[in-house]
Amino acid sequence: MELPKFKYSPNAYKIDIFKSVEGICSVCNEKRNLKYESSFYSIDDPEYICPWCIADGSASKKYDGEFNDYCGIEGISPDPSEEKNNTFSKEDLLEVTTKTPSYNSWQQEVWLTHCNEPCAFIGYADSKMIEPYIDEVIDDIEESGYDLELIKNHLSKDSHLVGYLFQCVQCNQHRLHIDCD
């Protein structure tokens, strides 16, 4: 059976959020061999979620949960009545929150946006990985409060200062979120 694809996380199977573990999915009750092991915000804590139940939204629906916090999407206010929330389609927001696996981070995940749409999460980024995109992500670095030279020399994929690389699904502009422990 072909693995489901995720519009806003095209590399989901390469970023260490799915583990090869035999089990019965808590949602579809099917025997699976790929278990989701990242954030899921729900009152219940399901034992096993497979990628198919993430992609079709059934995991979120069954457990009334989110894989990515609505308020963690850049530009979204916790107050749904605020006008700035109208720049994104409800379908795109629901796709990110209820049908897109999250990524592992030090703090609360942040989902970057561009061209009035959530970006695709490309992966964890170190200094070398962002070199070709430095001109595209310079604004993100400056807004992060971190020194440019620090980012150019010490950004890592798995240490104390981690980069999270996103890409606009409309114009291909790269974006960078930076987090530290």
Side-chain angles (χ1 to χ4, degrees), residues 77-175:
S77 166
D79 180 356
S81 67
E82 284 193 23
E83 189 174 312
K84 69 179 178 177
N85 285 340
N86 297 330
T87 61
F88 305 104
S89 77
K90 184 175 182 174
E91 293 78 24
D92 290 342
L93 295 176
L94 288 173
E95 184 81 18
V96 170
T97 59
T98 65
K99 297 180 180 181
T100 301
S102 193
Y103 60 88
N104 297 319
S105 66
W106 284 115
Q107 315 298 325
Q108 173 86 26
E109 300 87 359
V110 171
W111 208 277
L112 298 180
T113 61
H114 198 263
C115 292
N116 294 321
E117 184 174 351
C119 291
F121 177 66
I122 302 305
Y124 310 105
D126 57 18
S127 298
K128 184 175 181 166
M129 185 176 178
I130 66 165
E131 277 179 16
Y133 314 115
I134 199 73
D135 290 340
E136 293 180 53
V137 301
I138 193 75
D139 289 344
D140 293 324
I141 294 170
E142 288 173 355
E143 288 177 21
S144 75
Y146 294 103
D147 180 70
L148 177 60
E149 290 307 310
L150 176 73
I151 299 304
K152 284 183 173 181
N153 295 311
H154 298 288
L155 193 66
S156 73
K157 293 182 180 183
D158 59 3
S159 190
H160 301 288
L161 184 64
V162 179
Y164 305 91
L165 189 64
F166 290 82
Q167 187 173 26
C168 180
V169 296
Q170 298 293 323
C171 73
N172 295 322
Q173 166 82 28
H174 287 87
R175 301 280 320 276

Side-chain angles (χ1 to χ4, degrees), residues 7-76:
K7 176 181 181 180
Y8 295 116
S9 189
N11 300 318
Y13 304 107
K14 298 176 184 175
I15 60 170
D16 206 28
I17 58 171
F18 289 102
K19 303 286 184 198
S20 292
V21 175
E22 294 282 331
I24 304 296
C25 178
S26 302
V27 183
C28 65
N29 295 313
E30 296 286 330
K31 185 176 180 181
R32 301 292 190 187
N33 62 2
L34 208 52
K35 179 182 180 185
Y36 176 69
E37 293 193 347
S38 193
S39 299
F40 183 60
Y41 302 100
S42 170
I43 292 173
D44 296 314
D45 188 17
E47 179 73 24
Y48 194 113
I49 299 176
C50 73
W52 293 272
C53 290
I54 295 172
D56 70 9
S58 57
S60 287
K61 184 175 182 179
K62 180 174 181 174
Y63 292 103
D64 192 26
E66 295 181 334
F67 293 95
N68 295 288
D69 184 18
Y70 179 83
C71 293
I73 300 172
E74 181 184 45
I76 298 300

